[in-house]
Amino acid sequence: MRVVSGIQPTGNLHLGNYLGAIRRWVKMQHEAQGRDNFLIFLADLHAITVYKDPAELRANVNGMAAALIACGIDPARTVLFNHARVPAHPEMAWILGCTARIGWLNRMTQFKEKSGKDREGVSVGLFAYPVLQAADVLLYQATHVPVGEDQKQHVELMRDIATKFNTDYGVDLFTIPEPHIGESAARIMSLRDGTAKMSKSDPSDMSRINLSDDDDLIAQKIRKAKTDADPLPDQFEALAARPEARNLVSIYAALTDRTPQSVVEEFAGKGFGAFKPALAELMIETLAPIRSRLEQFAADPGMLEKYLVDGSQRAAELASPTLEGAYRALGLPR
Ligand code: TYM
């Protein structure tokens, strides 16, 4: 079992990233058989598919490394690195871009959402980035890719690309990876709209809980979260048509490692006047220690850089045999 996953270094981490991906990474890191079988990276080459201020991007790379370590990622157990320090990623992305079909990329819902009505005006990189994402995983012969629900389609695409390359060139080069999607927190939704995912790109900061939010702000965001006037039912399925209520119950369940059903059983008949303060308290309890570690690590950029350089060197070594194998398969030995 080899696990590979990544995250964009775009400013703050939010609760969706934490519950949907990072918390599971931290657990899986302890189950991995050795550091070389657990790789987590900051997708900084992915972040530039839309314009980013260079100074801000640089700060975000270190900031995200600090955040991951604060959440429990241990550089002694995880190969923690950033894209830009491992040239095998864009190199493999070019090769795989010659296998991927335009029709496949045209079907990517994330591209459709992000490009909106401006399909002709967005960067080629934004369109092609799922190919880079395929390279990110296939380079390491990953078996498992722990991600939130929104990345499932991209993992399916990498499976298609790997299969086509292996078939076209008559090789058994790429391992076909499996998406690994947690059940309870696969999709954490916005606090303002229970039908939209919690996201860094939502213009309203009230829509998400950032890992850097202080206790008062967390309490305020939960207090103002959109809900309805009805009490909670005793069956979780009864919340199907109440997306905001469903989301808050799911968050509570994920934070306590319980099923949403056991949460509604506890709060059945009570309204949000009772549920929201309990949720806020729980969230503050979970996030406060992460925030204080984050502040501590962020104060030492030299240490963060050292971790990333070290992780990137190891990642490059692990990626090299697959990259060489791809050139050989193509008839381009070096
Ligand atoms: P990114 O940076 O948008 O998100 C990082 C991880 O957080 C999960 N996530 C969520 N989970 C539940 N609810 C939410 N509201 C929510 N928002 C985000 C995402 O599913 C993801 O697991 N393309 C990727 C980064 C990437 C990558 C890769 C991932 C690049 N290469 C290779 C896996 C493998 C992205 O933009 O994730």
Side-chain angles (χ1 to χ4, degrees), residues 7-319:
I7 184 163
Q8 287 194 65
T10 40
N12 263 327
L13 273 179
H14 59 73
L15 191 72
N17 301 132
Y18 179 65
L19 295 176
I22 297 161
R23 209 173 52 144
R24 284 191 302 127
W25 297 348
V26 173
K27 280 190 195 149
M28 290 174 89
Q29 138 192 283
H30 293 285
E31 292 153 17
Q33 262 132 36
R35 180 182 182 239
D36 283 351
N37 287 317
F38 201 83
L39 294 92
I40 298 292
F41 60 89
L42 312 177
D44 49 7
L45 292 179
H46 176 182
I48 58 168
T49 54
V50 294
Y51 176 81
K52 289 273 153 41
D53 174 72
E56 197 180 311
L57 179 60
R58 196 183 165 85
N60 284 349
V61 171
N62 280 346
M64 186 61 82
L68 292 181
I69 297 171
C71 288
I73 294 292
D74 175 359
R77 288 178 180 271
T78 296
V79 180
L80 178 65
F81 66 102
N82 62 304
H83 258 161
R85 288 192 169 99
V86 187
H89 286 248
E91 217 175 323
M92 184 61 101
W94 175 259
I95 293 173
L96 298 179
C98 299
T99 294
R101 306 289 95 180
I102 287 186
W104 299 356
L105 291 177
N106 270 336
R107 286 198 284 276
M108 295 297 112
T109 51
Q110 197 155 320
F111 175 72
K112 289 185 206 165
E113 278 164 24
K114 291 205 168 164
S115 58
K117 291 197 176 68
D118 189 27
R119 275 188 72 133
E120 301 290 309
V122 297
S123 72
V124 173
L126 188 71
F127 182 69
Y129 119 76
V131 177
L132 175 63
Q133 185 162 353
D136 296 341
V137 170
L138 299 181
L139 268 174
Y140 300 101
Q141 310 291 346
T143 53
H144 293 74
V145 188
V147 284
E149 180 78 38
D150 62 323
Q151 295 298 320
K152 191 169 173 213
Q153 196 186 30
H154 290 154
V155 180
E156 277 158 7
L157 177 82
M158 55 183 90
R159 291 167 59 88
D160 291 344
I161 295 175
T163 306
K164 181 165 165 54
F165 187 99
N166 284 347
T167 310
D168 285 354
Y169 295 98
V171 289
D172 194 15
L173 180 65
F174 294 121
T175 303
I176 312 298
E178 292 283 344
H180 192 279
I181 296 166
E183 284 148 36
S184 62
R187 233 175 133 71
I188 302 293
M189 310 310 278
S190 155
L191 300 178
R192 311 299 300 165
D193 173 0
T195 63
K197 77 168 179 178
M198 184 177 285
S199 157
K200 288 174 248 210
S201 47
D202 192 314
S204 164
D205 193 57
M206 294 302 281
S207 71
R208 65 185 156 259
I209 304 282
N210 304 301
L211 262 47
S212 56
D213 290 348
D214 65 24
D215 294 355
D216 289 346
L217 190 53
I218 294 174
Q220 190 194 3
K221 285 179 175 179
I222 298 296
R223 212 166 39 242
K224 295 205 169 157
K226 188 175 164 199
T227 39
D228 51 45
D230 294 341
L232 283 165
D234 58 7
Q235 293 299 314
F236 183 61
E237 285 88 74
L239 291 176
R242 296 166 64 187
E244 285 82 16
R246 194 187 154 84
N247 186 38
L248 294 187
V249 169
S250 301
I251 291 174
Y252 193 104
L255 285 169
T256 47
D257 261 331
R258 285 165 55 185
T259 62
Q261 177 57 30
S262 87
V263 176
V264 287
E265 279 167 17
E266 181 186 337
F267 287 92
K270 294 190 180 142
F272 285 96
F275 183 76
K276 279 181 165 182
L279 177 60
E281 194 184 327
L282 183 62
M283 207 176 282
I284 288 167
E285 217 171 83
T286 311
L287 299 187
I290 295 178
R291 188 172 66 242
S292 79
R293 283 198 295 272
L294 178 60
E295 284 159 9
Q296 214 177 308
F297 293 129
D300 193 349
M303 181 194 71
L304 296 167
E305 207 126 317
K306 191 181 149 302
Y307 283 142
L308 291 176
V309 168
D310 173 64
S312 301
Q313 277 166 358
R314 188 64 193 139
E317 287 162 8
L318 294 171

